[in-house]
Amino acid sequence: MKKYAKFLVAVTVLLGLGVGANAESSPMIYVNLPFAFVVSGKTLPAGTYTATRLSYARYDGLILTNRANGSSVFLLPNEVEDASSDKPHVTFKQNGGQRFLSAIQSADEVYNIPVPRLVSLEAAAESRQTVSVSGTVAGN
């Protein structure tokens, strides 16, 4: 009986270490946005958001969540690049009074989010400004 108990404890410890290692390698980005914005066809309200990778594969997507009001959206980036700086931030394209989330940068990677083509074309034609908001990273 003691042999099985030791085995069970050893397996539990190993599984616990694996979960801890996974948590460290999946950074979360925290950002406070003072304005409403559009992403994946959904308008989200102002607030503090977390962006978390769904898995360890680069292109598997992110989930953007506002825990205060339960708003969340699944994001599938159309491109993932290595980050050139370790300062996390989010970038928006602005068209009229609306801001469209266009990129999320973590300490390691930049996730480019698809923006409706019409918004991109109009922003380029009218030389609209890009809005960038800094955040913090947890779980490096």
Side-chain angles (χ1 to χ4, degrees), residues 97-113:
Q98 289 189 311
R99 292 180 177 96
F100 295 82
L101 180 64
S102 61
I104 297 174
Q105 179 174 330
S106 70
D108 302 320
E109 297 168 319
V110 178
Y111 300 90
N112 293 311
I113 311 300

Side-chain angles (χ1 to χ4, degrees), residues 26-31 48-54 61-66 73 75 90 101 104-106 111 136-138:
S26 179
M28 292 195 333
I29 302 158
Y30 298 95
V31 64
T48 301
Y49 286 85
T50 59
T52 309
R53 282 195 324 198
L54 292 176
L62 303 165
I63 188 157
L64 188 64
T65 306
N66 180 329
V73 65
L75 306 174
V90 292
L101 180 64
I104 297 174
Q105 179 174 330
S106 70
Y111 300 90
T136 58
V137 172

Side-chain angles (χ1 to χ4, degrees), residues 17-64:
L17 289 175
V19 169
N22 287 342
E24 286 184 25
S25 62
S26 179
M28 292 195 333
I29 302 158
Y30 298 95
V31 64
N32 185 19
L33 300 174
F35 48 79
F37 62 99
V38 179
V39 62
S40 297
K42 187 175 181 181
T43 301
L44 298 177
T48 301
Y49 286 85
T50 59
T52 309
R53 282 195 324 198
L54 292 176
S55 76
Y56 303 105
R58 289 179 85 165
Y59 291 96
D60 278 355
L62 303 165
I63 188 157
L64 188 64

Side-chain angles (χ1 to χ4, degrees), residues 1-13:
M1 194 68 158
K2 284 185 180 182
K3 184 178 181 180
Y4 292 114
K6 287 181 182 180
F7 176 74
L8 183 59
V9 169
V11 169
T12 303
V13 168

